[in-house]
């Protein structure tokens, strides 16, 4: 029987661990159980905040910290303890405020450990947040006292789900391309710009990323091999820093032709199941 006791396997959540409709295929849950029975350690690296991931994590067999906020935090679901948290500094928040003022057509969500401060109403997005038990906290900058780890800017939602690349026109992506360029030109010493979805961009503290967080977690757990799997541009940091990286057939085109290992299934069939089966055959 193949021994996985040296491996930390880190998976993205949305459309990697889940199917397109947000459900987790049973094949993935069965594969995780087999992987951990053989000594492996499995966890998730997601762009979601702690409030947004409390419900999804309940169905997952995870006993180690989860990577939240695209690397902004390490969170132990069993104890609700946050072991690592990267905050947006005062200077970074000032940069976010400047960027937000240049793109008034976009909604801003400042995401922290307990709540999301929202600036700009979006009833469909609010319905999406409500799925996970999160009530938006509407307000401005002046009464903001929470420590935030992510500033998320996005276009108004057209449905209570994230748009897929084939549902987004190049024109819709222009503001987010401009924000990436602005961060690179003016604020690269303060912020990381991450594209989780075509019509969404997240601004993180400088140095944050799923890759650094996954490497730190592997070190803490004493795992010598880091395997990562994802489907979107915000996964590139951990895929590049993994010992081996994987992606499903449903992954975005930016993940292809980068030396990662392709899996023969989409997220709909069970990405993790296919990955574990591949590992067993080696």
């Amino acid at each position: 029987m193949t021994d996985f006791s040296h491996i930390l396997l880190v998976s993205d959540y949305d459309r990697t661990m889940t199917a397109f409709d947000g459900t987790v295929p049973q094949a993935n849950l069965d594969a995780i159980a087999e992987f951990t029975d053989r000594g492996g350690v499995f966890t998730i690296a997601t762009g979601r905040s702690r409030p947004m991931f409390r419900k999804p994590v309940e169905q997952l067999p995870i006993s180690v910290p989860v990577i939240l906020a695209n690397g902004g935090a390490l969170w132990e679901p069993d104890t609700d303890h946050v072991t690592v948290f990267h905050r947006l500094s005062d200077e970074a928040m000032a940069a976010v405020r400047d960027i937000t003022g240049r793109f008034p057509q976009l909604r801003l969500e400042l995401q922290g450990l307990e709540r999301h401060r929202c600036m700009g109403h979006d009833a469909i997005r609010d319905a999406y947040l409500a799925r996970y038990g999160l009530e938006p906290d509407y307000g401005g900058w002046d009464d903001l006292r929470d420590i935030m780890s992510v500033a998320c800017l996005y276009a108004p939602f057209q449905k209570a789900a994230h748009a897929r690349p084939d549902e987004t026109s190049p024109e819709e992506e222009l503001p987010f391309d401009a924000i990436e360029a602005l961060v690179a030109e003016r604020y690269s010493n303060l912020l990381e710009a991450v594209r989780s979805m075509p019509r969404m961009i997240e601004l993180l503290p400088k140095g944050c990323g799923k890759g650094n967080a996954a490497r730190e977690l592997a070190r803490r757990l004493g795992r010598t091999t880091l395997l990562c799997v994802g489907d979107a541009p915000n996964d590139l940091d951990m895929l590049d820093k993994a010992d081996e990286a994987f992606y499903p057939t449903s992954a975005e085109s930016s993940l292809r032709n980068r030396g990662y290992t392709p899996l023969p299934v989409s997220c709909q069939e069970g990405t993790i199941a296919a990955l574990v089966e591949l590992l067993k055959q080696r």
Side-chain angles (χ1 to χ4, degrees):
M1 185 173 72
T2 309
D3 177 38
F4 298 143
S5 60
H6 58 294
I7 298 175
L8 170 63
L9 172 56
V10 181
S11 172
D12 172 52
Y13 184 70
D14 292 289
R15 296 176 181 170
T16 302
M17 182 69 187
T18 74
F20 290 121
D21 64 359
T23 61
V24 176
Q26 184 61 45
N28 283 344
L29 298 175
D30 294 342
I32 294 169
E34 182 175 8
F35 177 75
T36 55
D37 284 346
R38 296 183 182 216
V41 172
F42 174 84
T43 196
I44 292 289
T46 177
R48 293 175 181 243
S49 64
R50 182 169 68 169
M52 282 286 287
F53 205 56
R54 286 191 186 278
K55 284 191 174 181
V57 80
E58 291 175 357
Q59 64 182 314
L60 303 178
I62 294 177
S63 60
V64 299
V66 168
I67 299 167
L68 299 174
N70 284 319
L74 287 177
W75 171 53
E76 297 176 353
D78 289 347
T79 64
D80 202 28
H81 181 55
V82 176
T83 59
V84 174
F85 182 77
H86 298 278
R87 66 180 291 270
L88 287 164
S89 67
D90 293 343
E91 294 84 0
M93 288 288 278
V96 169
R97 190 166 185 174
D98 174 54
I99 294 167
T100 302
R102 295 168 185 259
F103 299 90
Q105 74 273 34
L106 303 180
R107 165 156 144 163
L108 172 67
E109 249 178 59
L110 293 167
Q111 301 178 359
L113 289 174
E114 303 298 338
R115 63 174 179 158
H116 289 198
R117 165 56 58 89
C118 300
M119 302 183 196
H121 286 267
D122 185 334
I124 298 178
R125 170 67 175 179
D126 290 351
Y128 178 77
L129 296 178
R131 285 184 184 178
Y132 303 98
L134 182 60
E135 182 178 350
D137 172 46
Y138 281 101
W141 293 93
D142 293 340
D143 64 340
L144 182 64
R145 294 182 176 84
D146 284 17
I147 296 173
M148 299 296 177
S149 61
V150 177
C152 181
L153 285 155
Y154 51 86
F157 271 48
Q158 299 168 356
K159 58 182 180 179
H162 291 291
R164 294 167 61 177
D166 58 2
E167 299 172 335
T168 307
S169 68
E171 290 76 18
E172 290 178 295
E173 295 193 44
L174 287 176
F176 306 98
D177 295 338
I179 291 172
E180 277 190 301
L182 181 60
V183 169
E185 178 184 350
R186 294 196 176 193
Y187 299 120
S188 61
N189 62 321
L190 296 172
L191 298 170
E192 303 281 355
V194 176
R195 298 287 289 272
S196 297
M197 297 288 171
R199 295 189 297 115
M200 175 181 286
I201 192 166
E202 290 163 316
L203 305 177
L204 312 174
K206 182 67 178 178
C208 276
K210 288 185 177 183
N212 288 338
R215 274 290 168 199
E216 171 62 17
L217 185 57
R219 184 193 66 79
R220 292 184 178 205
L221 298 174
R223 298 281 154 155
T224 57
T225 301
L226 174 64
L227 305 182
C228 297
V229 57
D231 76 308
N234 67 320
D235 299 317
L236 290 172
D237 182 59
M238 73 171 180
L239 297 178
D240 284 342
K241 291 174 180 173
D243 294 301
E244 186 173 3
F246 305 82
Y247 64 91
T249 59
S250 49
E252 294 188 30
S253 59
S254 59
L255 275 67
R256 305 176 193 277
N257 302 314
R258 297 178 66 98
Y260 308 149
T261 301
L263 296 169
V265 301
S266 74
C267 65
Q268 200 70 18
E269 291 86 42
T271 302
I272 308 304
L275 197 164
V276 172
E277 188 60 33
L278 177 63
L279 296 178
K280 286 162 54 182
Q281 295 172 6
R282 292 180 171 178

